[in-house]
Amino acid sequence: MSVATPSPNIWRSPHVYERLNRAADPDRLVAAALADLLGPGGEVGLAVDVGCGTGYHLPMLAELARAVVGVEPHAGLAALARRRVARARLADLVQVRVGLAESLPLASCSVDVVFSHWAYFFGPGCEPGLREAERVLRPGGLQVAVDLDVSATHGYAAWFAASGTRVRGDRTSTFFAEQGWQEQTLPVVWSFDGRGALGDVLRIEFPPAVAARALRETVGATIAVPTVLRWRRPGRVGGCA
């Protein structure tokens, strides 16, 4: 049976991660790019957030679709996502389900948009989730994956590289291009309400030495987080009519 790979930052420190969510992308560049892909007047019946965590992006998707499902493997985070949905009075529009990217609890050919934000779709190794997205997407449906631009050499990307990751930007981009994806980079920033919040987030994102370096190299409480938005429309997929 498949199990989720732990995501230590949000799994262990969801309340600190919420500070990250509140600070991330104040200019709403990701939301604007997604709206552009859907086009003016685009009809979105069902949108799915794969790896929705505490549900931060569910209200944004609810602005674009008639129905939204958040799928999250960690039951505790899924419970927090349900609380967010209830507080936002979106329970009639948004559901949260416990599940994995490679076995989505959704019917085949039922989804218009499969969205993920810093979750699962990181390059080689995510093929089972790609096949599962193809299964649930309707013909012409859109899959979008938002990730760190690991080919960048500044800001968060530089500290990420210093953390000892083996992810390579050229390999990741080639992998997605071969799978029929397109991509665009977005100059996303995270803007915190003070250096205390910034430091708390850096310490759940990076090893102690890298977090200390990142804090030293940051003037104020705003950091650059080079971001890549990838998308594809698989077309006739999953045996859909």
Side-chain angles (χ1 to χ4, degrees):
M1 182 178 69
S2 297
V3 296
T5 300
S7 182
N9 49 5
I10 188 171
W11 283 31
R12 296 176 184 170
S13 305
H15 299 297
V16 177
Y17 198 88
E18 187 66 11
R19 298 184 188 180
L20 184 164
N21 279 329
R22 291 196 297 266
D25 194 14
D27 299 317
R28 289 176 58 89
L29 299 182
V30 170
L34 179 57
D36 284 346
L37 287 173
L38 295 173
E43 286 292 320
V44 178
L46 177 59
V48 176
D49 185 352
V50 177
C52 71
T54 61
Y56 188 81
H57 295 98
L58 296 177
M60 180 269 288
L61 291 175
E63 297 173 4
L64 302 171
R66 293 192 297 273
V68 178
V69 173
V71 178
E72 168 56 43
H74 188 288
L77 297 181
L80 293 175
R82 292 190 187 100
R83 292 182 197 173
R84 186 190 300 276
V85 168
R87 288 196 305 268
R89 298 183 179 179
L90 292 171
D92 291 341
L93 184 65
V94 181
Q95 298 180 23
V96 178
R97 302 175 186 174
V98 175
L100 299 171
E102 56 266 46
S103 55
L104 296 173
L106 297 159
S108 298
C109 311
S110 64
V111 176
D112 295 289
V113 177
V114 173
F115 174 84
S116 63
H117 190 283
W118 285 41
Y120 187 82
F121 297 102
F122 300 130
C126 73
E127 292 88 346
L130 294 178
R131 291 192 295 270
E132 185 68 349
E134 292 176 354
R135 180 186 69 79
V136 302
L137 277 170
R138 294 187 175 114
L142 175 68
Q143 184 176 10
V144 175
V146 181
D147 192 9
L148 175 69
D149 181 4
V150 294
S151 68
T153 58
H154 66 286
Y156 187 104
W159 306 323
F160 182 77
S163 297
T165 177
R166 296 184 179 181
V167 176
R168 284 180 43 190
D170 56 345
R171 182 179 300 161
T172 301
S173 292
T174 298
F175 170 83
F176 281 107
E178 291 174 346
Q179 303 282 339
W181 293 68
Q182 301 179 67
E183 66 179 49
Q184 68 180 108
T185 56
L186 301 173
V188 168
V189 300
W190 294 353
S191 185
F192 295 87
D193 58 9
R195 286 181 63 83
L198 168 65
D200 288 344
V201 167
L202 292 174
R203 283 186 282 272
I204 69 167
E205 292 289 288
F206 301 120
V210 178
R213 168 192 159 184
L215 195 57
R216 288 195 307 271
E217 293 178 355
T218 300
V219 177
T222 297
I223 59 176
V225 185
T227 298
V228 59
L229 184 146
R230 297 186 173 95
W231 75 94
R232 66 171 180 166
R233 296 184 185 274
R236 188 182 181 89
V237 296
C240 301

